[in-house]
Amino acid sequence: MSNPWLAIALEDYEGHMGSDNVRQLEALSDLFKRALDLCSPESVAVLGVAGGNGLQRVDSAITKRIIGLDINARYLEAVRQRYGALPGLELCCADLADKHLSLAPVELVHAALFFEHTGLGRCLENALFLVAPGGKLSVVLQLPSEAEQDVTPTPYSSMQALRDCFALIDVSQFCRKLEGKGFHLFQQEQRSLPTGKAFWLGIFAHRTR
Ligand SMILES: C[S@@+](CC[C@H](N)C(=O)[O-])C[C@H]1O[C@@H](n2cnc3c(N)ncnc32)[C@H](O)[C@@H]1O
């Protein structure tokens, strides 16, 4: 089955995420900045980079290598047009649920609102594989709430194609799974959204690295 993200225009994704009743783009950008501030990585990989939300927050004096990964080549082309001048930017088009990555590892792997769409199989393996010795994984998960759990209705109806392949991930189970893989949680925080939903940011470090 083809990945539904391949059929969604970036304008629709960003229009949806920026809609008054969603308003998630700014929060995701802020949480990426928070992870950068907490980890000060010399290199970072953003899984599911979409249109590059948050890349304007990278401090090039600290972070010299930035890899944006996504399954959608048109999104990456938009990132190239928007952020091509960012020193050290590399873009990689890959289905992270399908193939094993063979990239040089980075100090910080950031995956925001990503595993809800991909599941925790090969994509999580790839995420952990990309973490360099001594490096970290930062993850943003959407928390359960009283508010609408599905893809919020907006004028961008193409987004509703994601309904059947979006599943919330339980934070406790996720942390236990990462513990089992040798990664411990060393920082976590929550961010409420004006719409009633909330995000959880967790930063994990490898025990033995
Ligand atoms: C909800 S967006 C991530 C949010 C984004 N990080 C932000 O801050 O706006 C999910 C992204 O993951 C990408 N994606 C979904 N499945 C993927 C897969 N199997 N491999 C790589 N990228 C995938 C989509 O194309 C999309 O850009």
Side-chain angles (χ1 to χ4, degrees):
M1 194 181 78
S2 173
N3 189 308
W5 281 96
L6 295 172
I8 293 175
L10 185 59
E11 298 70 35
D12 284 10
Y13 168 65
E14 292 182 339
H16 171 87
M17 294 292 274
S19 298
D20 279 350
N21 57 338
V22 179
R23 291 169 67 180
Q24 296 188 350
L25 279 182
E26 190 187 343
L28 290 172
S29 172
D30 288 350
L31 291 170
F32 179 47
K33 170 81 166 81
R34 185 80 182 118
L36 290 171
D37 287 348
L38 287 165
C39 302
S40 298
E42 189 176 285
S43 51
V44 64
V46 183
L47 310 188
V49 69
N53 183 32
L55 289 183
Q56 71 279 11
R57 318 286 287 270
V58 170
D59 182 346
S60 302
I62 297 171
T63 308
K64 316 266 186 218
R65 179 172 175 238
I66 304 116
I67 313 176
L69 298 108
D70 208 284
I71 194 171
N72 191 317
R74 285 171 295 133
Y75 295 1
L76 295 176
E77 178 53 26
V79 176
R80 197 187 59 74
Q81 284 175 16
R82 292 172 179 176
Y83 299 102
L86 190 59
L89 180 67
E90 298 169 28
L91 298 171
C92 173
C93 187
D95 180 350
L96 298 177
D98 179 40
K99 67 172 193 182
H100 280 294
L101 286 178
S102 57
L103 294 168
V106 291
E107 287 185 2
L108 177 66
V109 173
H110 182 72
L113 219 54
F114 178 72
F115 294 122
E116 288 90 339
H117 293 277
T118 65
L120 296 174
R122 176 70 53 82
C123 282
L124 182 60
E125 271 177 42
N126 274 323
L128 299 180
F129 166 82
L130 257 185
V131 179
K136 298 193 173 60
L137 171 69
S138 70
V139 178
V140 176
L141 298 176
Q142 182 177 316
L143 293 170
S145 70
E146 300 286 300
E148 173 84 53
Q149 293 299 306
D150 276 332
V151 179
T152 305
T154 63
Y156 304 94
S157 54
S158 64
M159 290 295 292
Q160 292 304 320
L162 299 174
R163 282 176 78 111
D164 295 338
C165 50
F166 174 90
L168 288 180
I169 289 175
D170 181 83
V171 167
S172 306
Q173 283 179 16
F174 185 77
C175 291
R176 276 199 297 278
K177 194 171 182 82
L178 274 261
E179 277 286 335
K181 293 181 180 291
F183 282 77
H184 74 277
L185 182 66
F186 90 104
Q187 180 85 24
Q188 62 176 324
E189 49 197 62
Q190 287 190 25
R191 159 110 185 209
S192 303
L193 300 171
T195 54
K197 291 185 179 178
F199 286 145
W200 174 85
L201 170 70
I203 300 185
F204 298 83
H206 199 286
R207 286 197 176 291
T208 56
R209 288 177 174 177

